[in-house]
Amino acid sequence: MSEQNKFPAHPIQLELFHSTKQLNLSEAYESIPKEVAPRDSAIVWESENIALPIEKSFSVDGQTFVSEIKPATLKTGKGKTYKSHFPYFRELRIEYALISLASKQWLGVDYHGGTEPTYKLQVTFYQIQKEIVEAINEQEGRDLKPNDCPYNTTSLHEGLKILKESSYTVYDSLGKKEYSFNRIKDFYRNGDKLIIELGTMICGYISRGDWNVADAYSILASKTYYTMKLKTLLNMKFRYARRGSFYNPSFSLLAEKIGFGEYANKRDAIRKMKQLLEGLSEVEYVLMETKKEGRKVVDAIFQIAPSNQFIDSIIEANKLNRRAKDALVSPDGEHVLIKPLESDFQNRRDYEKAKREYDTKKGQILYSQRHLSRNT
């Protein structure tokens, strides 16, 4: 048996990832600062067109880390000079569109001589545009066509290059390197298709099953970077949204998570954050308590009530999460049995047929597991 054949052609976790047909995001991956606003005051231009890497601190479970963001350096339009480009809203939106598309089609699997798989997505620019436009149509009740996408093919190609060429290194609080990654490992043409090799961090969380289902339509339809980041954060953190429940983050936490640093005056910044939250379809209303030191406003605590639309979205997302986590694996470890949901089918007749087949196979797997346990 060759080295390549020792590993499954379609890992179990990849099948579970595909089962959602949604935007599956990792909280750990989302916690890493990866974008830099074009006018970020932290950008230092080494020369007229070349920028130095930027460091942004972040915290996970009380531990502090630093993300060093190295910009992509691309040729200008005339091809005679180079210029630095940091990833921002367009690149984040493209990345989410790719992850959403990756859950809806079989991915190529390549082990590259190692034990950790790289996943390859085969798409067209048209499909990426369609993914974004369908989200906008669903959220805004419009009838846009893929060619109405905010990004034409030239813009998408540049965004993919920035996702590939920009790089990240994460350090702990003592300056020790933890890991490095690119968001896209590579992309190239194969006929009329684009082959996109997903980055190691995304491949890793797919293989570990370290993801939660998020609302692809709402997130991809976001009009600004900050609203997209806030929507994603609510989808990650507010997993048990229900009537009467609240999410109570501080202004400081939200500002860190979405890279919000446009206002020197804390009072103005807090007021703007509240306005951003109140404008989200996920939010019913926002209450706020300011924190002061003397007369100086130093922070605020928000009390965010979920909208009915968001509650319904989270309920469906949690169903998909539970289905993936509770899936049955065959005794040989090569097959997975995923429970059908009625929402997967166009009519109840097809659902009931799939449910009967599922129950039969489930009985067979459970019987095999009991039989094996008696013989070990």
Side-chain angles (χ1 to χ4, degrees), residues 104 129-140 142 144 146 217 221:
K104 299 172 182 176
Q129 291 171 324
K130 185 171 182 284
E131 192 73 9
I132 294 171
V133 166
E134 283 185 347
I136 296 172
N137 288 341
E138 176 70 20
Q139 291 295 297
E140 300 180 11
R142 302 175 70 181
L144 300 176
Y217 282 147

Side-chain angles (χ1 to χ4, degrees), residues 1 14 45 63 70 82 95 105 141 149 167 172 219 267 288 311 360 369-370 372:
M1 180 182 290
L14 181 58
W45 293 96
Q63 290 184 288
K70 183 179 180 181
Y82 289 82
E95 182 180 53
Q105 65 177 67
C149 178
S167 61
D172 66 15
I219 291 172
R267 191 184 297 270
M288 183 181 75
I311 292 171
T360 300
Q369 290 176 342
R370 288 195 295 269
L372 285 173

Side-chain angles (χ1 to χ4, degrees), residues 340-358:
L341 295 176
E342 191 166 356
S343 57
D344 294 334
F345 300 87
Q346 293 184 349
N347 57 70
R348 186 166 182 81
R349 177 180 171 184
D350 290 344
Y351 163 69
E352 290 177 345
K353 178 182 178 183
K355 183 67 166 57
R356 288 194 297 271
E357 293 174 352
Y358 167 82

Side-chain angles (χ1 to χ4, degrees), residues 80-198:
K80 294 182 179 180
T81 60
Y82 289 82
K83 185 173 183 178
S84 295
H85 297 264
F86 286 100
Y88 195 51
F89 179 42
R90 175 185 60 181
E91 286 71 37
L92 179 61
R93 203 177 201 179
I94 293 172
E95 182 180 53
Y96 283 163
L98 295 178
I99 295 171
S100 181
L101 285 165
S103 76
K104 299 172 182 176
Q105 65 177 67
W106 284 108
L107 301 179
V109 182
D110 194 334
Y111 289 91
H112 291 298
T115 58
E116 296 298 325
T118 293
Y119 299 119
K120 296 181 179 181
L121 175 65
Q122 183 173 278
V123 293
T124 62
F125 287 126
Y126 182 87
Q127 285 177 286
I128 298 173
Q129 291 171 324
K130 185 171 182 284
E131 192 73 9
I132 294 171
V133 166
E134 283 185 347
I136 296 172
N137 288 341
E138 176 70 20
Q139 291 295 297
E140 300 180 11
R142 302 175 70 181
D143 188 27
L144 300 176
K145 306 303 179 187
N147 287 337
D148 298 318
C149 178
Y151 316 114
N152 60 26
T153 55
T154 300
S155 181
L156 288 175
H157 187 263
E158 182 180 77
L160 289 171
K161 287 171 69 176
I162 293 172
L163 286 170
K164 175 189 172 184
E165 299 297 334
S166 55
S167 61
Y168 305 84
T169 304
V170 174
Y171 299 90
D172 66 15
S173 59
L174 299 176
K176 180 182 177 183
K177 179 180 175 181
E178 293 281 328
Y179 47 85
S180 298
F181 65 96
N182 297 76
R183 294 160 84 169
I184 288 178
K185 191 171 183 179
D186 198 5
F187 77 96
Y188 49 88
R189 284 192 175 277
N190 182 15
D192 62 345
K193 299 284 188 179
L194 283 174
I195 307 299
I196 299 174
E197 295 188 20
L198 301 179

